[in-house]
Amino acid sequence: MANKGKAELFAAIRRDARLEGMSARALARKFGVHRRTVAQALASPWPPERKKPPPRRSRLDPYKPVIDAMLRADLDAPRKQRHTVVRIWNRLVEEHQAVEVSYPMVRDYVRQRRAEIRMEEGRGPVPGFIEQSHRPGAEAEVDFGDVWIRLAGTLTRCYLFSFRLSWSGKADLAWTHHHTPPCHSHAGQGNASWAQPQHRSQPTSSYSSANGSSLQRNHASPS
């Protein structure tokens, strides 16, 4: 049990408590953990997050507000008049007698804080993350383009149809000599079809899944 993750440990403790009616003392003895851990597992299936240790103090801490002020002033300064890391370090030593502060300490702090200050003042993009979620058989990625292959000793231009299911990642490929003939491909449980476009410059690929959902995407004409 020691090699399993803590979430699996919590699940096992909760299972034995529910099915076998074991006491907290017996559970702690069986799994080799403290009764406090057993209490946590019985209270919630999710292990508590580890507390992050407080950041270590640095010799740069007293001068961070000074550096921040320089970086904020740089937001409105002409490009060639903005502080470099070397200039910031020299000013700390000359104006604030920060002889105990090394150049790498200033460099690492400025690299992080310059971008943060721009975001705090609304001058830069805010980093974000959007988690993607796909249902099985509901979505697919489709593409169509040209490739060159040697066919019977002759360099020939062909067209490649690519179909990839978003959930499983399973892909299927089909190629043809012609630009817009109908071609059919099967991947997983869904069906992919290449339909005759109404305009050669704007072919349309369509996909209908087993559960009835559909995906349609336009592509520029292969050059």
Side-chain angles (χ1 to χ4, degrees):
M1 186 61 65
N3 294 329
K4 293 188 176 182
K6 201 166 186 179
E8 294 176 322
L9 171 64
F10 273 35
I13 292 174
R14 292 170 65 86
R15 182 184 63 248
D16 286 358
R18 183 179 67 255
L19 299 180
E20 301 183 19
M22 299 177 65
S23 66
R25 183 186 299 273
L27 289 168
R29 187 183 306 113
K30 176 179 179 179
F31 293 100
V33 297
H34 196 277
R35 276 186 288 177
R36 181 172 56 250
T37 303
V38 174
Q40 290 175 345
L42 297 178
S44 171
W46 305 108
E49 295 185 1
R50 289 187 176 182
K51 294 182 180 180
K52 295 182 179 180
R56 295 186 304 173
R57 292 191 57 81
S58 167
R59 294 193 300 271
L60 189 63
D61 287 349
Y63 309 103
K64 287 180 179 179
V66 178
I67 298 175
D68 288 357
M70 297 181 193
L71 296 177
R72 293 184 190 278
D74 284 348
L75 294 176
D76 298 316
R79 185 176 183 85
K80 292 188 177 180
Q81 296 181 19
R82 297 173 189 170
H83 287 82
T84 64
V85 177
V86 174
R87 177 57 181 153
I88 292 175
W89 181 48
N90 287 336
R91 286 191 60 182
L92 291 177
V93 174
E94 295 169 2
E95 300 175 16
H96 301 275
Q97 293 74 50
V99 293
E100 71 278 16
V101 173
S102 66
Y103 172 81
M105 295 169 60
V106 177
R107 178 197 60 204
D108 294 343
Y109 180 74
V110 170
R111 181 187 297 121
Q112 174 185 348
R113 280 298 288 159
R114 197 187 295 274
E116 292 176 348
I117 287 176
R118 287 187 61 84
M119 288 187 292
E120 291 171 4
E121 299 297 326
R123 306 291 185 90
V126 178
F129 174 78
I130 300 177
E131 183 178 359
Q132 294 190 9
S133 178
H134 305 287
R135 291 179 300 158
E139 300 177 43
E141 302 165 13
V142 177
D143 204 356
F144 188 73
D146 58 326
V147 293
W148 289 88
I149 66 172
R150 191 165 296 279
L151 188 62
T154 303
L155 193 61
T156 306
R157 185 181 190 179
C158 296
Y159 299 94
L160 182 68
F161 175 84
S162 172
F163 175 91
R164 179 181 179 274
L165 290 171
S166 301
W167 183 77
S168 66
K170 291 183 178 180
D172 201 4
L173 304 175
W175 64 274
T176 177
H177 291 112
H178 307 289
H179 186 180
T180 56
C183 68
H184 300 275
S185 175
H186 299 277
Q189 296 180 347
N191 297 320
S193 63
W194 178 259
Q196 286 282 3
Q198 297 178 355
H199 305 285
R200 288 182 62 87
S201 61
Q202 195 73 10
T204 302
S205 57
S206 60
Y207 159 65
S208 298
S209 70
N211 60 13
S213 58
S214 63
L215 173 69
Q216 194 171 53
R217 181 177 174 185
N218 293 332
H219 302 273
S221 172
S223 58

